[in-house]
Amino acid sequence: MAKSSDSSVILSKGSESQGLGTFGGVFTPSILTILGVIMYLRFGWVVGHVGLWQTLLIVTISTSITLLTGLSISAIATDQVVRAGGAYYMISRSLGIETGGAVGIPLYLAQAFSVALYTIGFAESLVQVFPGWSQTLVALITTILVAVLALKSADIAIKAQYFIMAAIALSLVSLMLGHSVEPTTLPVTEVPGSVGFWAVLAVFFPAVTGIMAGVNMSGDLKDPQRSIPYGTLAAIGVGYVIYMVIPIFLNQWADPSTLLAEPLVMRRIARWGDIILLGVWGATLSSAIGSILGAPRVLQALARDGILPSWLKWLGRGHGPMDEPRMGTLFTLGIALAAVSIGDLNLIAPVLTMFFLTTYLVLNVSAGLETFLQSPSFRPTFKVHWSLSLLGAVGCLVVMFLINAVATVMAALIVLGIFVWLQRREMQGAWGDVRNGLWMTLVRTSLFQMQTTPDAKNWRPHLLVFSGAPTKRPHLTNLAVDLTHNRGLITLSSVLPSGARSASQQDALESTIEDYLDKQGIEAFVRLVTAPDPFSGMEKLVDAYGIGPLVPNTVLLGDTEAEHTRDRFCQMIATCHQARRNVLIFRSQPEDYPDFNPLPTNHRIDVWWGGLQTNGGLMLILAYLLRTSGRWRNADIYLNLVVANDQAKAAAEQNLESLVKSLRIGAIPRVIVARDRPFDDILTTTSKTADLVFLGLANPEDNFTEYYLDLQKRTTPLPATIFVLASEELEFAEVLQRDG
């Protein structure tokens, strides 16, 4: 079983004074990724199609979803110490290592390929100014230089972003000091308003999805719990203000046709047009720097947690006082250079956007669940109501489908595939997560919603199996599995002598049994109790095991031939009956019941019929459940009824055939004429070739021990036999005959 190491214990090697602050570590990379190429090259297109007021509405809707995600991030960040890995770290510590890895691996790849996307975008814009340059060569050189900057140190890379921020700020000032422009002379290929509101929103939305750039620097921050919420929310707020102001100038200074025909219309509007080019170049380079800084840190956390295959463990190494992921940066550079060499990443770009939005969605779900469950361990200083987080998750999902439904499905399949792969590796984190709390809440709610009285429509056996060690009585475990179909509950129980084992030894034995069941693919609980004798322990479990309405309704145990324990055995049957627990006594040797491998078809089950009332209905239900299980698939169920003479046979056959037809369980009616033969002879002669026999058991009353001893003697010649005693306050005939 693979077990991850807890990267939360791998502390940054530097002191707090060496960490990045809120402005440099979170706000700067976030705002520079938000104010990207869409602002420069597509904002005019947005205004040209939907006009000013709908543009402002699009900005508000898009930013609202990002704001809700930012609030969720702030709640998680102020509850836990956020180490390297940013969003991956938060998700894995909340929803579990499988979910964290399923989101973290695609998130890393998206960031790694984003480096290539941004450097190719930078190269394209540069080649437009210098047509003689090679776009691929420029992109390759730019990618290497960006990686070298990141390798030198995150601090230097962040300082480089200050100059880029200055260039973007100057370009915005130049735009706002601009002027009206003459209508375009270029051919207009699109008619204003030809693209709908939601389609335009889908184009604009990626412009507000840059908040991960700051979160991914979590391992390099001086105070992540303070910097992440303040820096992230500040970047969202500043970005919103800028995005609300720019459309006003675009709408005032250019007509819709010009906005649609000229992607770089801002260059004509601005007072100093060439500064807009600096802004475009700065936006692409800052996004590339943010990605080359963030991606290796996610990769480092994935490697340290054991998510990646063991041969990639070296990617978790850190260097220098800031524990910088140099090996991860080189690895990411290799991926980015390969992507740049391909040149055209337009086909995978939508899927990359989906990975970012999937991360946002899962972060919202994490915060929403943590807040809703109100676990004592979740104590964020930045409090957000769970409904806001889940609203953010819904918003992310809707926008994903609006942007590209096919890419959404592809991204979901990739995330699901990684999740299944990690589950099969049986990853275990050395930290708790929200899943147990979620299941506990669901179980609690379900228990209080369940009826306290048995319900015929939804009845199925919930078995308390007195199996002892399952390896010694596999036939009892197999029978329980066949009867429940992995739908009912199975509890395998064993009684240990008082004082035979310490509490730790008892826990170890329970774990051993659970491991055995897991290897056999059997879903069952294990319950061990101590008692002076086995029957006292069994009675203790029958009396006390369960919670609320969820208690075993059926007890399954093996037969006993020991004379000195027969009285106590029969007394325990009476105790189960009085406690309203159905009793199944399996009279068989282990070799008489099939092992875990399926049997061939056409085996035979004999049910000896005394009517639908009392035991008859339960026996038929159990036989039907066996017939529809894997081991007994399509076995023949013979419903045997004994009549005194030939005169009674015709009417009995007609009634039995009508009953079998109405029950729809595939039973074969068989009426047997006694002709003065004893029932024991009929039973032995008829069922000696069956594979399994069901017989009803009388209610425990006076002289029950003598009755049971006599029954054992009479059934000795039979193959594997199950004695059935229906004890629940339930008409089992109603389970079989559902009239509405």
Side-chain angles (χ1 to χ4, degrees):
M1 179 181 293
K3 187 170 184 177
S4 70
S5 63
D6 187 355
S7 66
S8 66
V9 301
I10 304 176
L11 304 178
S12 177
K13 297 178 182 178
S15 64
E16 282 196 355
S17 63
Q18 294 175 297
L20 298 171
T22 302
F23 185 78
V26 180
F27 177 81
T28 299
S30 295
I31 192 63
L32 290 182
T33 309
I34 290 173
L35 303 179
V37 290
I38 289 179
M39 179 181 73
Y40 288 103
L41 301 180
R42 300 302 282 170
F43 220 167
W45 180 89
V46 171
V47 178
H49 270 301
V50 298
L52 175 61
W53 296 109
Q54 289 193 48
T55 297
L56 297 180
L57 181 59
I58 285 173
V59 171
T60 301
I61 292 174
S62 302
T63 307
S64 296
I65 295 173
T66 305
L67 176 62
L68 292 171
T69 305
L71 293 174
S72 297
I73 290 172
S74 300
I76 298 174
T78 57
D79 172 69
Q80 56 184 239
V81 178
V82 183
R83 304 296 179 192
Y88 157 73
Y89 185 93
M90 293 178 178
I91 293 169
S92 62
R93 270 57 179 178
S94 180
L95 295 182
I97 194 166
E98 300 96 339
T99 306
V103 175
I105 292 176
L107 175 63
Y108 164 72
L109 292 174
Q111 290 178 322
F113 282 110
S114 292
V115 177
L117 281 172
Y118 294 131
T119 54
I120 289 173
F122 172 79
E124 286 179 354
S125 61
L126 201 63
V127 168
Q128 289 180 9
V129 180
F130 304 101
W133 292 11
S134 168
Q135 177 179 312
T136 302
L137 182 60
V138 171
L140 287 171
I141 294 173
T142 305
T143 303
I144 294 172
L145 291 176
V146 166
V148 169
L149 186 63
L151 282 168
K152 186 65 178 175
S153 83
D155 190 46
I156 294 176
I158 290 294
K159 289 177 180 177
Q161 291 196 8
Y162 294 152
F163 294 99
I164 294 173
M165 183 186 290
I168 292 176
L170 283 175
S171 71
L172 292 175
V173 171
S174 177
L175 175 66
M176 293 174 188
L177 294 176
H179 51 77
S180 299
V181 296
E182 295 296 326
T184 185
T185 58
L186 298 174
V188 181
T189 58
E190 292 182 274
V191 178
S194 60
V195 179
F197 178 86
W198 294 110
V200 173
L201 183 145
V203 170
F204 172 78
F205 187 83
V208 298
T209 58
I211 57 175
M212 282 297 106
V215 176
N216 289 332
M217 298 299 296
S218 57
D220 295 84
L221 298 175
K222 186 187 302 182
D223 184 2
Q225 289 186 311
R226 182 180 183 277
S227 294
I228 289 177
Y230 279 91
T232 301
L233 296 179
I236 293 171
V238 171
Y240 178 64
V241 171
I242 293 173
Y243 280 150
M244 291 293 281
V245 171
I246 290 176
I248 297 174
F249 292 101
L250 294 177
N251 183 70
Q252 181 179 351
W253 288 337
D255 66 283
S257 296
T258 301
L259 294 174
L260 293 177
E262 299 184 29
L264 205 55
V265 68
M266 288 185 185
R267 188 180 182 188
R268 276 217 294 151
I269 292 174
R271 178 176 290 271
W272 307 290
D274 288 343
I275 292 183
I276 296 296
L277 287 177
L278 292 179
V280 175
W281 295 338
T284 52
L285 286 176
S286 66
S287 298
I289 291 173
S291 297
I292 199 67
L293 287 175
R297 284 157 174 79
V298 175
L299 187 66
Q300 183 183 51
L302 289 168
R304 287 180 172 179
D305 281 347
I307 297 289
L308 302 180
S310 58
W311 54 275
L312 290 175
K313 190 175 181 179
W314 53 274
L315 291 171
R317 297 174 191 166
H319 296 81
M322 293 298 295
D323 195 27
E324 293 181 17
R326 293 179 184 173
M327 302 304 296
T329 302
L330 291 173
F331 187 83
T332 303
L333 173 61
I335 293 177
L337 290 175
V340 168
S341 300
I342 296 172
D344 185 6
L345 297 179
N346 290 336
L347 294 177
I348 65 170
V351 178
L352 303 186
T353 301
M354 294 307 108
F355 286 150
F356 285 115
L357 283 170
T358 299
T359 304
Y360 292 2
L361 187 153
V362 178
L363 281 169
N364 279 307
V365 171
S366 299
L369 289 177
E370 292 271 26
T371 308
F372 176 77
L373 295 175
Q374 295 183 346
S375 300
S377 61
F378 187 68
R379 303 183 303 277
T381 56
F382 191 101
K383 299 185 183 299
V384 179
H385 194 271
W386 62 268
S387 61
L388 294 177
S389 297
L390 295 187
L391 179 62
V394 172
C396 289
L397 186 63
V398 171
V399 169
M400 287 171 70
F401 277 99
L402 286 174
I403 292 175
N404 192 317
V406 175
T408 300
V409 173
M410 289 177 60
L413 291 175
I414 292 171
V415 170
L416 180 61
I418 297 173
F419 180 85
V420 172
W421 170 63
L422 292 175
Q423 271 203 325
R424 289 184 175 177
R425 286 176 57 193
E426 297 184 349
M427 298 291 298
Q428 283 189 346
W431 58 87
D433 56 61
V434 76
R435 289 176 294 182
N436 274 343
L438 176 60
W439 290 123
M440 179 60 70
T441 300
L442 291 174
V443 168
R444 179 185 182 277
T445 303
S446 301
L447 284 173
F448 279 109
Q449 292 298 319
M450 287 178 62
Q451 297 181 17
T452 56
T453 56
D455 176 14
K457 181 177 181 179
N458 298 292
W459 186 92
R460 65 175 61 252
H462 300 303
L463 297 170
L464 178 61
V465 186
F466 292 115
S467 60
T471 53
K472 294 182 179 179
R473 298 181 181 86
H475 57 299
L476 292 177
T477 306
N478 293 351
L479 177 61
V481 171
D482 292 338
L483 289 173
T484 57
H485 294 191
N486 283 331
R487 297 294 186 273
L489 300 177
I490 302 174
T491 300
L492 300 182
S493 57
S494 182
V495 181
L496 306 176
S498 299
R501 285 179 170 85
S502 65
S504 59
Q505 290 173 326
Q506 187 169 320
D507 290 341
L509 177 58
E510 192 169 311
S511 297
T512 301
I513 297 174
E514 289 171 348
D515 290 342
Y516 165 77
L517 296 174
D518 186 58
K519 290 177 182 177
Q520 299 294 341
I522 298 174
E523 295 180 343
F525 299 107
V526 178
R527 185 70 172 177
L528 304 181
V529 297
T530 58
D533 64 86
F535 297 107
S536 298
M538 293 179 186
E539 290 170 342
K540 181 196 298 186
L541 278 170
V542 170
D543 183 55
Y545 183 67
I547 179 171
L550 194 61
V551 296
N553 57 26
T554 304
V555 174
L556 172 61
L557 66 161
D559 194 18
T560 179
E561 297 286 350
E563 185 175 348
H564 67 283
T565 60
R566 189 176 289 114
D567 282 337
R568 282 293 285 123
F569 182 83
C570 292
Q571 183 181 343
M572 198 200 67
I573 295 174
T575 300
C576 294
H577 184 64
Q578 292 167 3
R580 304 300 183 192
R581 306 290 192 273
N582 307 313
V583 180
L584 308 182
I585 303 173
F586 197 3
R587 182 172 168 79
S588 166
Q589 296 299 320
E591 61 270 15
D592 294 334
Y593 194 80
D595 203 347
F596 290 102
N597 296 319
L599 278 174
T601 57
N602 300 324
H603 277 64
R604 186 176 121 204
I605 300 172
D606 277 6
V607 178
W608 287 90
W609 184 246
L612 270 177
Q613 304 306 315
T614 61
N615 299 326
L618 179 56
M619 287 194 296
L620 270 184
I621 294 168
L622 298 175
Y624 171 75
L625 289 172
L626 286 180
R627 184 179 184 272
T628 52
S629 70
R631 234 180 303 265
W632 294 89
R633 180 70 62 185
N634 297 324
D636 295 324
I637 301 175
Y638 281 89
L639 191 57
N640 300 318
L641 175 64
V642 178
V643 296
N645 49 52
D646 290 323
Q647 289 77 10
K649 181 179 180 181
E653 284 180 338
Q654 184 177 355
N655 291 336
L656 206 56
E657 287 175 0
S658 176
L659 175 67
V660 166
K661 185 177 180 181
S662 67
L663 296 182
R664 305 181 308 282
I665 63 172
I668 302 170
R670 181 163 59 185
V671 178
I672 303 167
V673 180
R675 295 192 177 92
D676 298 327
R677 290 178 298 166
F679 176 76
D680 293 353
D681 290 346
I682 298 172
L683 173 65
T684 302
T685 303
T686 305
S687 291
K688 65 182 179 181
T689 56
D691 296 288
L692 187 64
V693 179
F694 281 97
L695 281 173
L697 196 64
N699 289 346
E701 295 175 351
D702 295 339
N703 301 320
F704 184 72
T705 302
E706 288 80 0
Y707 158 80
Y708 190 76
L709 176 60
D710 180 60
L711 183 62
Q712 287 179 313
K713 292 177 180 177
R714 293 161 54 198
T715 55
T716 297
L718 294 180
T721 303
I722 300 176
F723 298 144
V724 177
L725 176 60
S727 306
E728 276 188 275
E729 292 181 337
L730 178 72
E731 293 294 334
F732 287 101
E734 295 180 7
V735 181
L736 292 165
Q737 296 176 318
R738 286 174 51 189
D739 298 325

CSV table of all heavy atoms in Angstrom, one decimal, residues 498-535:
chain,number,residue,atom,x,y,z
A,498,SER,N,-12.8,-13.9,27.7
A,498,SER,CA,-12.5,-12.8,28.5
A,498,SER,C,-11.0,-12.9,29.0
A,498,SER,O,-10.6,-13.9,29.4
A,498,SER,CB,-13.4,-12.7,29.8
A,498,SER,OG,-14.7,-12.6,29.4
A,499,GLY,N,-10.3,-11.8,28.8
A,499,GLY,CA,-8.9,-11.7,29.2
A,499,GLY,C,-7.9,-12.4,28.2
A,499,GLY,O,-6.7,-12.4,28.5
A,500,ALA,N,-8.4,-13.0,27.1
A,500,ALA,CA,-7.5,-13.7,26.2
A,500,ALA,C,-6.6,-12.8,25.5
A,500,ALA,O,-5.4,-13.2,25.2
A,500,ALA,CB,-8.3,-14.5,25.2
A,501,ARG,N,-7.0,-11.6,25.2
A,501,ARG,CA,-6.2,-10.6,24.4
A,501,ARG,C,-6.4,-9.2,25.0
A,501,ARG,O,-7.4,-8.8,25.5
A,501,ARG,CB,-6.6,-10.6,23.0
A,501,ARG,CG,-6.2,-11.8,22.2
A,501,ARG,CD,-6.6,-11.7,20.7
A,501,ARG,NE,-6.1,-12.7,19.9
A,501,ARG,CZ,-6.5,-13.9,19.7
A,501,ARG,NH1,-7.6,-14.3,20.4
A,501,ARG,NH2,-6.0,-14.8,18.9
A,502,SER,N,-5.3,-8.5,24.9
A,502,SER,CA,-5.3,-7.1,25.3
A,502,SER,C,-6.1,-6.3,24.2
A,502,SER,O,-6.4,-6.8,23.2
A,502,SER,CB,-3.9,-6.5,25.5
A,502,SER,OG,-3.3,-6.5,24.2
A,503,ALA,N,-6.4,-5.0,24.6
A,503,ALA,CA,-7.2,-4.2,23.6
A,503,ALA,C,-6.4,-4.0,22.3
A,503,ALA,O,-6.9,-4.0,21.2
A,503,ALA,CB,-7.5,-2.8,24.2
A,504,SER,N,-5.1,-3.8,22.4
A,504,SER,CA,-4.2,-3.6,21.2
A,504,SER,C,-4.2,-4.9,20.4
A,504,SER,O,-4.2,-4.9,19.2
A,504,SER,CB,-2.8,-3.2,21.6
A,504,SER,OG,-2.2,-4.2,22.4
A,505,GLN,N,-4.1,-6.1,21.1
A,505,GLN,CA,-4.1,-7.3,20.3
A,505,GLN,C,-5.4,-7.6,19.6
A,505,GLN,O,-5.5,-8.1,18.5
A,505,GLN,CB,-3.8,-8.5,21.3
A,505,GLN,CG,-2.4,-8.5,21.8
A,505,GLN,CD,-2.1,-9.6,22.9
A,505,GLN,OE1,-3.0,-9.9,23.7
A,505,GLN,NE2,-0.9,-10.2,22.9
A,506,GLN,N,-6.5,-7.2,20.3
A,506,GLN,CA,-7.9,-7.3,19.7
A,506,GLN,C,-8.0,-6.4,18.5
A,506,GLN,O,-8.5,-6.9,17.5
A,506,GLN,CB,-8.9,-7.0,20.7
A,506,GLN,CG,-10.4,-7.2,20.3
A,506,GLN,CD,-11.3,-7.1,21.4
A,506,GLN,OE1,-11.1,-7.5,22.6
A,506,GLN,NE2,-12.5,-6.5,21.2
A,507,ASP,N,-7.5,-5.2,18.6
A,507,ASP,CA,-7.5,-4.3,17.4
A,507,ASP,C,-6.7,-4.9,16.3
A,507,ASP,O,-7.1,-4.8,15.1
A,507,ASP,CB,-6.9,-2.9,17.8
A,507,ASP,CG,-7.9,-2.2,18.7
A,507,ASP,OD1,-9.1,-2.5,18.8
A,507,ASP,OD2,-7.4,-1.2,19.4
A,508,ALA,N,-5.5,-5.5,16.6
A,508,ALA,CA,-4.7,-6.1,15.6
A,508,ALA,C,-5.4,-7.2,14.9
A,508,ALA,O,-5.3,-7.4,13.6
A,508,ALA,CB,-3.4,-6.5,16.2
A,509,LEU,N,-6.1,-8.1,15.6
A,509,LEU,CA,-6.8,-9.2,15.1
A,509,LEU,C,-7.9,-8.7,14.2
A,509,LEU,O,-8.2,-9.2,13.1
A,509,LEU,CB,-7.4,-10.0,16.2
A,509,LEU,CG,-8.3,-11.2,15.7
A,509,LEU,CD1,-7.5,-12.2,14.8
A,509,LEU,CD2,-8.8,-12.0,17.0
A,510,GLU,N,-8.6,-7.6,14.6
A,510,GLU,CA,-9.7,-7.0,13.8
A,510,GLU,C,-9.1,-6.5,12.5
A,510,GLU,O,-9.8,-6.7,11.4
A,510,GLU,CB,-10.4,-5.9,14.6
A,510,GLU,CG,-11.7,-5.4,14.0
A,510,GLU,CD,-12.4,-4.5,14.9
A,510,GLU,OE1,-12.6,-4.9,16.1
A,510,GLU,OE2,-12.8,-3.4,14.5
A,511,SER,N,-8.0,-5.9,12.5
A,511,SER,CA,-7.4,-5.4,11.3
A,511,SER,C,-6.9,-6.5,10.4
A,511,SER,O,-7.1,-6.4,9.1
A,511,SER,CB,-6.1,-4.5,11.7
A,511,SER,OG,-6.5,-3.4,12.4
A,512,THR,N,-6.5,-7.6,11.0
A,512,THR,CA,-6.1,-8.8,10.1
A,512,THR,C,-7.3,-9.3,9.4
A,512,THR,O,-7.2,-9.6,8.2
A,512,THR,CB,-5.5,-9.9,11.0
A,512,THR,OG1,-4.3,-9.3,11.7
A,512,THR,CG2,-5.1,-11.1,10.2
A,513,ILE,N,-8.4,-9.4,10.1
A,513,ILE,CA,-9.6,-9.9,9.4
A,513,ILE,C,-10.1,-9.0,8.4
A,513,ILE,O,-10.5,-9.4,7.3
A,513,ILE,CB,-10.8,-10.1,10.5
A,513,ILE,CG1,-10.3,-11.2,11.5
A,513,ILE,CG2,-12.1,-10.5,9.8
A,513,ILE,CD1,-11.3,-11.4,12.7
A,514,GLU,N,-10.0,-7.7,8.6
A,514,GLU,CA,-10.4,-6.7,7.6
A,514,GLU,C,-9.6,-6.7,6.4
A,514,GLU,O,-10.1,-6.6,5.3
A,514,GLU,CB,-10.4,-5.3,8.2
A,514,GLU,CG,-11.5,-5.0,9.3
A,514,GLU,CD,-11.3,-3.7,10.0
A,514,GLU,OE1,-10.2,-3.1,9.9
A,514,GLU,OE2,-12.3,-3.3,10.7
A,515,ASP,N,-8.3,-6.9,6.6
A,515,ASP,CA,-7.4,-7.1,5.4
A,515,ASP,C,-7.7,-8.3,4.6
A,515,ASP,O,-7.7,-8.3,3.4
A,515,ASP,CB,-5.9,-7.1,5.9
A,515,ASP,CG,-5.4,-5.8,6.5
A,515,ASP,OD1,-6.0,-4.8,6.2
A,515,ASP,OD2,-4.4,-5.8,7.2
A,516,TYR,N,-8.0,-9.4,5.3
A,516,TYR,CA,-8.4,-10.6,4.6
A,516,TYR,C,-9.6,-10.4,3.8
A,516,TYR,O,-9.7,-10.8,2.6
A,516,TYR,CB,-8.6,-11.7,5.6
A,516,TYR,CG,-9.4,-13.0,5.1
A,516,TYR,CD1,-8.7,-13.9,4.3
A,516,TYR,CD2,-10.7,-13.1,5.3
A,516,TYR,CE1,-9.4,-15.0,3.8
A,516,TYR,CE2,-11.4,-14.2,4.8
A,516,TYR,CZ,-10.7,-15.2,4.0
A,516,TYR,OH,-11.4,-16.2,3.5
A,517,LEU,N,-10.7,-9.8,4.3
A,517,LEU,CA,-11.9,-9.5,3.6
A,517,LEU,C,-11.6,-8.6,2.4
A,517,LEU,O,-12.2,-8.7,1.3
A,517,LEU,CB,-12.9,-8.9,4.5
A,517,LEU,CG,-13.4,-9.7,5.7
A,517,LEU,CD1,-14.3,-8.9,6.6
A,517,LEU,CD2,-14.1,-11.0,5.2
A,518,ASP,N,-10.8,-7.6,2.6
A,518,ASP,CA,-10.5,-6.6,1.5
A,518,ASP,C,-9.8,-7.4,0.4
A,518,ASP,O,-10.1,-7.1,-0.8
A,518,ASP,CB,-9.6,-5.5,2.1
A,518,ASP,CG,-9.3,-4.4,1.0
A,518,ASP,OD1,-10.3,-3.8,0.6
A,518,ASP,OD2,-8.1,-4.2,0.7
A,519,LYS,N,-8.9,-8.3,0.7
A,519,LYS,CA,-8.2,-9.0,-0.4
A,519,LYS,C,-9.2,-9.9,-1.2
A,519,LYS,O,-9.1,-10.2,-2.3
A,519,LYS,CB,-7.1,-9.9,0.2
A,519,LYS,CG,-5.9,-9.0,0.7
A,519,LYS,CD,-4.9,-9.9,1.3
A,519,LYS,CE,-3.7,-9.1,1.8
A,519,LYS,NZ,-2.7,-9.9,2.5
A,520,GLN,N,-10.3,-10.4,-0.4
A,520,GLN,CA,-11.3,-11.2,-1.1
A,520,GLN,C,-12.4,-10.4,-1.8
A,520,GLN,O,-13.2,-11.0,-2.4
A,520,GLN,CB,-11.9,-12.2,0.0
A,520,GLN,CG,-11.0,-13.1,0.7
A,520,GLN,CD,-10.4,-14.1,-0.3
A,520,GLN,OE1,-10.9,-14.4,-1.3
A,520,GLN,NE2,-9.3,-14.8,0.1
A,521,GLY,N,-12.3,-9.1,-1.6
A,521,GLY,CA,-13.3,-8.2,-2.3
A,521,GLY,C,-14.6,-8.3,-1.5
A,521,GLY,O,-15.7,-8.0,-2.2
A,522,ILE,N,-14.6,-8.5,-0.2
A,522,ILE,CA,-15.9,-8.6,0.5
A,522,ILE,C,-16.0,-7.4,1.4
A,522,ILE,O,-15.2,-7.0,2.1
A,522,ILE,CB,-15.8,-9.9,1.5
A,522,ILE,CG1,-15.7,-11.2,0.6
A,522,ILE,CG2,-17.1,-9.9,2.4
A,522,ILE,CD1,-15.5,-12.4,1.5
A,523,GLU,N,-17.2,-6.7,1.2
A,523,GLU,CA,-17.5,-5.5,2.0
A,523,GLU,C,-18.3,-6.0,3.2
A,523,GLU,O,-19.4,-6.3,3.1
A,523,GLU,CB,-18.3,-4.6,1.1
A,523,GLU,CG,-17.6,-4.0,-0.1
A,523,GLU,CD,-18.4,-3.0,-0.9
A,523,GLU,OE1,-19.6,-3.0,-0.7
A,523,GLU,OE2,-17.8,-2.3,-1.7
A,524,ALA,N,-17.6,-5.9,4.3
A,524,ALA,CA,-18.3,-6.3,5.6
A,524,ALA,C,-17.6,-5.6,6.8
A,524,ALA,O,-16.4,-5.2,6.7
A,524,ALA,CB,-18.2,-7.8,5.8
A,525,PHE,N,-18.4,-5.4,7.8
A,525,PHE,CA,-17.8,-4.9,9.1
A,525,PHE,C,-17.3,-6.1,9.9
A,525,PHE,O,-17.7,-7.2,9.7
A,525,PHE,CB,-18.9,-4.1,9.9
A,525,PHE,CG,-19.4,-2.9,9.1
A,525,PHE,CD1,-20.7,-2.9,8.6
A,525,PHE,CD2,-18.6,-1.8,9.0
A,525,PHE,CE1,-21.2,-1.8,8.0
A,525,PHE,CE2,-19.1,-0.7,8.3
A,525,PHE,CZ,-20.4,-0.7,7.8
A,526,VAL,N,-16.4,-5.8,10.8
A,526,VAL,CA,-15.9,-6.8,11.7
A,526,VAL,C,-16.1,-6.3,13.1
A,526,VAL,O,-15.9,-5.2,13.5
A,526,VAL,CB,-14.4,-7.0,11.5
A,526,VAL,CG1,-13.8,-8.1,12.5
A,526,VAL,CG2,-14.1,-7.5,10.1
A,527,ARG,N,-16.7,-7.2,13.9
A,527,ARG,CA,-17.0,-6.9,15.3
A,527,ARG,C,-16.5,-8.0,16.2
A,527,ARG,O,-17.0,-9.2,16.1
A,527,ARG,CB,-18.5,-6.7,15.5
A,527,ARG,CG,-18.9,-6.2,16.9
A,527,ARG,CD,-18.5,-4.8,17.1
A,527,ARG,NE,-19.1,-4.3,18.4
A,527,ARG,CZ,-18.8,-3.1,18.8
A,527,ARG,NH1,-18.0,-2.3,18.2
A,527,ARG,NH2,-19.3,-2.7,20.0
A,528,LEU,N,-15.6,-7.7,17.1
A,528,LEU,CA,-15.1,-8.7,18.1
A,528,LEU,C,-15.5,-8.3,19.5
A,528,LEU,O,-15.4,-7.1,19.8
A,528,LEU,CB,-13.5,-8.8,18.0
A,528,LEU,CG,-12.9,-9.1,16.7
A,528,LEU,CD1,-11.4,-9.1,16.8
A,528,LEU,CD2,-13.5,-10.4,16.1
A,529,VAL,N,-16.0,-9.2,20.3
A,529,VAL,CA,-16.3,-8.9,21.7
A,529,VAL,C,-15.7,-10.0,22.5
A,529,VAL,O,-15.4,-11.1,22.1
A,529,VAL,CB,-17.9,-8.9,21.9
A,529,VAL,CG1,-18.5,-7.8,21.1
A,529,VAL,CG2,-18.5,-10.3,21.5
A,530,THR,N,-15.6,-9.7,23.8
A,530,THR,CA,-15.1,-10.6,24.8
A,530,THR,C,-16.2,-11.0,25.7
A,530,THR,O,-17.1,-10.2,26.1
A,530,THR,CB,-13.9,-10.0,25.6
A,530,THR,OG1,-14.4,-8.8,26.3
A,530,THR,CG2,-12.7,-9.7,24.7
A,531,ALA,N,-16.2,-12.3,26.1
A,531,ALA,CA,-17.3,-12.8,27.0
A,531,ALA,C,-16.8,-14.1,27.7
A,531,ALA,O,-15.9,-14.7,27.1
A,531,ALA,CB,-18.6,-13.0,26.2
A,532,PRO,N,-17.4,-14.5,28.8
A,532,PRO,CA,-17.0,-15.7,29.5
A,532,PRO,C,-17.2,-16.9,28.6
A,532,PRO,O,-16.4,-17.9,28.7
A,532,PRO,CB,-17.9,-15.7,30.7
A,532,PRO,CG,-18.3,-14.3,30.9
A,532,PRO,CD,-18.4,-13.7,29.6
A,533,ASP,N,-18.2,-16.9,27.7
A,533,ASP,CA,-18.5,-18.1,26.9
A,533,ASP,C,-19.0,-17.5,25.5
A,533,ASP,O,-19.5,-16.4,25.5
A,533,ASP,CB,-19.4,-19.1,27.5
A,533,ASP,CG,-20.8,-18.5,27.7
A,533,ASP,OD1,-21.6,-18.5,26.8
A,533,ASP,OD2,-21.1,-18.0,28.8
A,534,PRO,N,-18.9,-18.3,24.5
A,534,PRO,CA,-19.3,-17.8,23.2
A,534,PRO,C,-20.8,-17.4,23.1
A,534,PRO,O,-21.1,-16.4,22.5
A,534,PRO,CB,-19.1,-19.0,22.2
A,534,PRO,CG,-18.0,-19.8,22.9
A,534,PRO,CD,-18.3,-19.7,24.4
A,535,PHE,N,-21.7,-18.1,23.8
A,535,PHE,CA,-23.1,-17.8,23.6
A,535,PHE,C,-23.5,-16.5,24.4
A,535,PHE,O,-24.3,-15.7,23.9
A,535,PHE,CB,-24.0,-19.0,24.2
A,535,PHE,CG,-23.8,-20.2,23.4
A,535,PHE,CD1,-23.0,-21.3,23.9
A,535,PHE,CD2,-24.3,-20.3,22.1
A,535,PHE,CE1,-22.8,-22.4,23.1
A,535,PHE,CE2,-24.1,-21.5,21.3
A,535,PHE,CZ,-23.4,-22.5,21.9
